[in-house]
Amino acid sequence: MQSQPQDHRFPLVAFDNPLRKLFGRADRFNQYVQPGQTAADLGCGPGYYTFALAEAVGAQGKVYAVDADSAAASAVERKALRLGCAQIEAHCSSAAQLDFIPTASVNFILADGLLCCMAPMGHAAALSEFKRIMRPQARAYISAARGRISYVDDTEWEEMLRGFAVEDRNHARGLQGRWAVVRLA
Ligand SMILES: C[S@@+](CC[C@H](N)C(=O)[O-])C[C@H]1O[C@@H](n2cnc3c(N)ncnc32)[C@H](O)[C@@H]1O
């Protein structure tokens, strides 16, 4: 019997280490939020972007940090406590099940490298949860790696984007990763 594909898991150090900033600054998504707003970092890993977003939304804002890996969610929770970032709410959950986030409450979703690491059977539910939690003018940044371990092929990627209004995107070739900034259609 064939086993079902599983969500990919990573050592936390893979996504939070001194070399990481060479590949992208932690605050590169801060342009999408304003003080007092709400962001959701879905598949947050150890929180490389979560803490920068928390600084951008400030003490009056909120950042949901969600990861299906309990080690990642706990690492974010501990660091938030240590740094006094009460605006960060960490959850160990699949992005396909976000019932702790109210409908139409989020200004910005960050799903960087989430869907390509998430077992395909959860994709439709995750995208439906994205749409449910987004405020009418909200944006989402989604990205998906290519290659052997990616769970998103180019056909599915285009199909996903058709479910949104695409504001910006790349047209990657070869092994380059794909990204898009989208709004509700
Ligand atoms: C490529 S890492 C990206 C981490 C983070 N976004 C970053 O850029 O530093 C993908 C993350 O998605 C998480 N993940 C995989 N499947 C998931 C799911 N079904 N729901 C939530 N998170 C998931 C993994 O545990 C991992 O932390």
Side-chain angles (χ1 to χ4, degrees), residues 29-50:
F29 299 110
N30 289 11
Q31 59 181 305
Y32 298 111
V33 290
Q34 301 291 324
Q37 291 190 337
T38 298
D41 186 358
L42 306 178
C44 60
Y48 182 68
Y49 296 118
T50 310

PDB file of all heavy atoms in Angstrom, residues 29-50:
ATOM      1  N   PHE A  29       8.656  42.036   4.005  1.00  0.00           N
ATOM      2  CA  PHE A  29       7.193  42.033   3.824  1.00  0.00           C
ATOM      3  C   PHE A  29       6.514  43.141   4.634  1.00  0.00           C
ATOM      4  O   PHE A  29       5.288  43.253   4.610  1.00  0.00           O
ATOM      5  CB  PHE A  29       6.619  40.664   4.198  1.00  0.00           C
ATOM      6  CG  PHE A  29       7.183  39.566   3.334  1.00  0.00           C
ATOM      7  CD1 PHE A  29       8.054  38.625   3.870  1.00  0.00           C
ATOM      8  CD2 PHE A  29       6.887  39.499   1.988  1.00  0.00           C
ATOM      9  CE1 PHE A  29       8.595  37.619   3.064  1.00  0.00           C
ATOM     10  CE2 PHE A  29       7.422  38.508   1.175  1.00  0.00           C
ATOM     11  CZ  PHE A  29       8.282  37.574   1.710  1.00  0.00           C
ATOM     12  N   ASN A  30       7.299  43.926   5.359  1.00  0.00           N
ATOM     13  CA  ASN A  30       6.709  44.942   6.226  1.00  0.00           C
ATOM     14  C   ASN A  30       5.941  46.011   5.446  1.00  0.00           C
ATOM     15  O   ASN A  30       5.043  46.651   5.969  1.00  0.00           O
ATOM     16  CB  ASN A  30       7.787  45.620   7.091  1.00  0.00           C
ATOM     17  CG  ASN A  30       8.313  44.683   8.167  1.00  0.00           C
ATOM     18  OD1 ASN A  30       8.038  43.498   8.142  1.00  0.00           O
ATOM     19  ND2 ASN A  30       9.072  45.216   9.098  1.00  0.00           N
ATOM     20  N   GLN A  31       6.292  46.181   4.160  1.00  0.00           N
ATOM     21  CA  GLN A  31       5.584  47.160   3.316  1.00  0.00           C
ATOM     22  C   GLN A  31       4.088  46.833   3.181  1.00  0.00           C
ATOM     23  O   GLN A  31       3.311  47.703   2.799  1.00  0.00           O
ATOM     24  CB  GLN A  31       6.211  47.157   1.921  1.00  0.00           C
ATOM     25  CG  GLN A  31       6.150  45.783   1.267  1.00  0.00           C
ATOM     26  CD  GLN A  31       6.778  45.729  -0.112  1.00  0.00           C
ATOM     27  OE1 GLN A  31       6.421  46.498  -0.986  1.00  0.00           O
ATOM     28  NE2 GLN A  31       7.744  44.840  -0.291  1.00  0.00           N
ATOM     29  N   TYR A  32       3.697  45.592   3.482  1.00  0.00           N
ATOM     30  CA  TYR A  32       2.300  45.191   3.282  1.00  0.00           C
ATOM     31  C   TYR A  32       1.425  45.427   4.510  1.00  0.00           C
ATOM     32  O   TYR A  32       0.229  45.135   4.458  1.00  0.00           O
ATOM     33  CB  TYR A  32       2.226  43.713   2.880  1.00  0.00           C
ATOM     34  CG  TYR A  32       2.921  43.433   1.568  1.00  0.00           C
ATOM     35  CD1 TYR A  32       4.102  42.693   1.518  1.00  0.00           C
ATOM     36  CD2 TYR A  32       2.404  43.938   0.373  1.00  0.00           C
ATOM     37  CE1 TYR A  32       4.750  42.455   0.311  1.00  0.00           C
ATOM     38  CE2 TYR A  32       3.048  43.708  -0.830  1.00  0.00           C
ATOM     39  CZ  TYR A  32       4.220  42.971  -0.856  1.00  0.00           C
ATOM     40  OH  TYR A  32       4.854  42.741  -2.053  1.00  0.00           O
ATOM     41  N   VAL A  33       2.027  45.907   5.621  1.00  0.00           N
ATOM     42  CA  VAL A  33       1.219  46.131   6.833  1.00  0.00           C
ATOM     43  C   VAL A  33       1.451  47.527   7.396  1.00  0.00           C
ATOM     44  O   VAL A  33       2.498  48.139   7.166  1.00  0.00           O
ATOM     45  CB  VAL A  33       1.512  45.087   7.952  1.00  0.00           C
ATOM     46  CG1 VAL A  33       0.987  43.726   7.570  1.00  0.00           C
ATOM     47  CG2 VAL A  33       2.991  45.040   8.303  1.00  0.00           C
ATOM     48  N   GLN A  34       0.464  47.994   8.137  1.00  0.00           N
ATOM     49  CA  GLN A  34       0.523  49.283   8.822  1.00  0.00           C
ATOM     50  C   GLN A  34       0.388  49.027  10.328  1.00  0.00           C
ATOM     51  O   GLN A  34      -0.158  47.992  10.722  1.00  0.00           O
ATOM     52  CB  GLN A  34      -0.673  50.159   8.399  1.00  0.00           C
ATOM     53  CG  GLN A  34      -0.770  50.439   6.918  1.00  0.00           C
ATOM     54  CD  GLN A  34       0.360  51.349   6.467  1.00  0.00           C
ATOM     55  OE1 GLN A  34       0.776  52.246   7.203  1.00  0.00           O
ATOM     56  NE2 GLN A  34       0.870  51.087   5.277  1.00  0.00           N
ATOM     57  N   PRO A  35       0.843  49.999  11.139  1.00  0.00           N
ATOM     58  CA  PRO A  35       0.661  49.842  12.589  1.00  0.00           C
ATOM     59  C   PRO A  35      -0.822  49.597  12.931  1.00  0.00           C
ATOM     60  O   PRO A  35      -1.703  50.206  12.332  1.00  0.00           O
ATOM     61  CB  PRO A  35       1.130  51.199  13.143  1.00  0.00           C
ATOM     62  CG  PRO A  35       2.127  51.682  12.127  1.00  0.00           C
ATOM     63  CD  PRO A  35       1.596  51.223  10.791  1.00  0.00           C
ATOM     64  N   GLY A  36      -1.034  48.677  13.837  1.00  0.00           N
ATOM     65  CA  GLY A  36      -2.392  48.375  14.292  1.00  0.00           C
ATOM     66  C   GLY A  36      -3.089  47.296  13.470  1.00  0.00           C
ATOM     67  O   GLY A  36      -4.169  46.832  13.847  1.00  0.00           O
ATOM     68  N   GLN A  37      -2.492  46.871  12.358  1.00  0.00           N
ATOM     69  CA  GLN A  37      -3.145  45.867  11.508  1.00  0.00           C
ATOM     70  C   GLN A  37      -2.838  44.432  11.970  1.00  0.00           C
ATOM     71  O   GLN A  37      -2.041  44.213  12.888  1.00  0.00           O
ATOM     72  CB  GLN A  37      -2.722  46.057  10.045  1.00  0.00           C
ATOM     73  CG  GLN A  37      -3.278  47.326   9.441  1.00  0.00           C
ATOM     74  CD  GLN A  37      -3.075  47.392   7.932  1.00  0.00           C
ATOM     75  OE1 GLN A  37      -2.189  46.748   7.374  1.00  0.00           O
ATOM     76  NE2 GLN A  37      -3.910  48.180   7.264  1.00  0.00           N
ATOM     77  N   THR A  38      -3.468  43.503  11.275  1.00  0.00           N
ATOM     78  CA  THR A  38      -3.312  42.081  11.607  1.00  0.00           C
ATOM     79  C   THR A  38      -2.683  41.330  10.437  1.00  0.00           C
ATOM     80  O   THR A  38      -3.126  41.486   9.295  1.00  0.00           O
ATOM     81  CB  THR A  38      -4.698  41.460  11.925  1.00  0.00           C
ATOM     82  OG1 THR A  38      -5.241  42.131  13.057  1.00  0.00           O
ATOM     83  CG2 THR A  38      -4.592  39.971  12.228  1.00  0.00           C
ATOM     84  N   ALA A  39      -1.658  40.553  10.749  1.00  0.00           N
ATOM     85  CA  ALA A  39      -1.008  39.713   9.736  1.00  0.00           C
ATOM     86  C   ALA A  39      -1.093  38.255  10.179  1.00  0.00           C
ATOM     87  O   ALA A  39      -1.219  37.966  11.380  1.00  0.00           O
ATOM     88  CB  ALA A  39       0.460  40.122   9.577  1.00  0.00           C
ATOM     89  N   ALA A  40      -1.032  37.354   9.211  1.00  0.00           N
ATOM     90  CA  ALA A  40      -0.974  35.918   9.523  1.00  0.00           C
ATOM     91  C   ALA A  40       0.216  35.339   8.778  1.00  0.00           C
ATOM     92  O   ALA A  40       0.261  35.381   7.541  1.00  0.00           O
ATOM     93  CB  ALA A  40      -2.262  35.220   9.107  1.00  0.00           C
ATOM     94  N   ASP A  41       1.198  34.838   9.531  1.00  0.00           N
ATOM     95  CA  ASP A  41       2.387  34.209   8.941  1.00  0.00           C
ATOM     96  C   ASP A  41       2.134  32.703   8.987  1.00  0.00           C
ATOM     97  O   ASP A  41       2.254  32.067  10.041  1.00  0.00           O
ATOM     98  CB  ASP A  41       3.627  34.613   9.762  1.00  0.00           C
ATOM     99  CG  ASP A  41       4.924  34.133   9.134  1.00  0.00           C
ATOM    100  OD1 ASP A  41       4.871  33.456   8.081  1.00  0.00           O
ATOM    101  OD2 ASP A  41       5.995  34.438   9.700  1.00  0.00           O
ATOM    102  N   LEU A  42       1.730  32.160   7.835  1.00  0.00           N
ATOM    103  CA  LEU A  42       1.279  30.765   7.777  1.00  0.00           C
ATOM    104  C   LEU A  42       2.425  29.880   7.282  1.00  0.00           C
ATOM    105  O   LEU A  42       2.982  30.139   6.211  1.00  0.00           O
ATOM    106  CB  LEU A  42       0.057  30.660   6.859  1.00  0.00           C
ATOM    107  CG  LEU A  42      -1.100  31.608   7.223  1.00  0.00           C
ATOM    108  CD1 LEU A  42      -2.247  31.470   6.219  1.00  0.00           C
ATOM    109  CD2 LEU A  42      -1.588  31.361   8.644  1.00  0.00           C
ATOM    110  N   GLY A  43       2.761  28.865   8.052  1.00  0.00           N
ATOM    111  CA  GLY A  43       3.980  28.103   7.792  1.00  0.00           C
ATOM    112  C   GLY A  43       5.154  28.970   8.204  1.00  0.00           C
ATOM    113  O   GLY A  43       6.118  29.163   7.467  1.00  0.00           O
ATOM    114  N   CYS A  44       5.050  29.504   9.434  1.00  0.00           N
ATOM    115  CA  CYS A  44       5.989  30.547   9.901  1.00  0.00           C
ATOM    116  C   CYS A  44       7.374  30.005  10.210  1.00  0.00           C
ATOM    117  O   CYS A  44       8.324  30.793  10.347  1.00  0.00           O
ATOM    118  CB  CYS A  44       5.425  31.234  11.139  1.00  0.00           C
ATOM    119  SG  CYS A  44       5.164  30.094  12.522  1.00  0.00           S
ATOM    120  N   GLY A  45       7.514  28.654  10.341  1.00  0.00           N
ATOM    121  CA  GLY A  45       8.815  28.121  10.751  1.00  0.00           C
ATOM    122  C   GLY A  45       9.209  28.742  12.087  1.00  0.00           C
ATOM    123  O   GLY A  45       8.351  29.055  12.922  1.00  0.00           O
ATOM    124  N   PRO A  46      10.501  28.976  12.313  1.00  0.00           N
ATOM    125  CA  PRO A  46      10.928  29.550  13.592  1.00  0.00           C
ATOM    126  C   PRO A  46      10.687  31.057  13.696  1.00  0.00           C
ATOM    127  O   PRO A  46      11.119  31.687  14.653  1.00  0.00           O
ATOM    128  CB  PRO A  46      12.420  29.221  13.634  1.00  0.00           C
ATOM    129  CG  PRO A  46      12.820  29.040  12.216  1.00  0.00           C
ATOM    130  CD  PRO A  46      11.623  28.558  11.458  1.00  0.00           C
ATOM    131  N   GLY A  47      10.011  31.647  12.713  1.00  0.00           N
ATOM    132  CA  GLY A  47       9.553  33.038  12.874  1.00  0.00           C
ATOM    133  C   GLY A  47      10.463  34.086  12.274  1.00  0.00           C
ATOM    134  O   GLY A  47      10.442  35.244  12.705  1.00  0.00           O
ATOM    135  N   TYR A  48      11.240  33.706  11.267  1.00  0.00           N
ATOM    136  CA  TYR A  48      12.169  34.673  10.656  1.00  0.00           C
ATOM    137  C   TYR A  48      11.434  35.960  10.249  1.00  0.00           C
ATOM    138  O   TYR A  48      11.897  37.062  10.534  1.00  0.00           O
ATOM    139  CB  TYR A  48      12.847  34.030   9.443  1.00  0.00           C
ATOM    140  CG  TYR A  48      13.862  34.904   8.748  1.00  0.00           C
ATOM    141  CD1 TYR A  48      15.062  35.239   9.384  1.00  0.00           C
ATOM    142  CD2 TYR A  48      13.629  35.397   7.468  1.00  0.00           C
ATOM    143  CE1 TYR A  48      16.004  36.045   8.743  1.00  0.00           C
ATOM    144  CE2 TYR A  48      14.568  36.195   6.826  1.00  0.00           C
ATOM    145  CZ  TYR A  48      15.747  36.509   7.465  1.00  0.00           C
ATOM    146  OH  TYR A  48      16.683  37.305   6.835  1.00  0.00           O
ATOM    147  N   TYR A  49      10.275  35.817   9.610  1.00  0.00           N
ATOM    148  CA  TYR A  49       9.510  37.006   9.196  1.00  0.00           C
ATOM    149  C   TYR A  49       8.517  37.458  10.260  1.00  0.00           C
ATOM    150  O   TYR A  49       8.092  38.608  10.273  1.00  0.00           O
ATOM    151  CB  TYR A  49       8.754  36.713   7.894  1.00  0.00           C
ATOM    152  CG  TYR A  49       9.668  36.436   6.720  1.00  0.00           C
ATOM    153  CD1 TYR A  49       9.642  35.208   6.066  1.00  0.00           C
ATOM    154  CD2 TYR A  49      10.571  37.397   6.266  1.00  0.00           C
ATOM    155  CE1 TYR A  49      10.489  34.945   4.994  1.00  0.00           C
ATOM    156  CE2 TYR A  49      11.424  37.138   5.196  1.00  0.00           C
ATOM    157  CZ  TYR A  49      11.374  35.913   4.568  1.00  0.00           C
ATOM    158  OH  TYR A  49      12.209  35.654   3.509  1.00  0.00           O
ATOM    159  N   THR A  50       8.127  36.555  11.152  1.00  0.00           N
ATOM    160  CA  THR A  50       7.081  36.869  12.136  1.00  0.00           C
ATOM    161  C   THR A  50       7.453  38.078  12.994  1.00  0.00           C
ATOM    162  O   THR A  50       6.626  38.970  13.233  1.00  0.00           O
ATOM    163  CB  THR A  50       6.877  35.662  13.093  1.00  0.00           C
ATOM    164  OG1 THR A  50       6.715  34.474  12.324  1.00  0.00           O
ATOM    165  CG2 THR A  50       5.691  35.869  13.993  1.00  0.00           C
TER     166      THR A  50
END
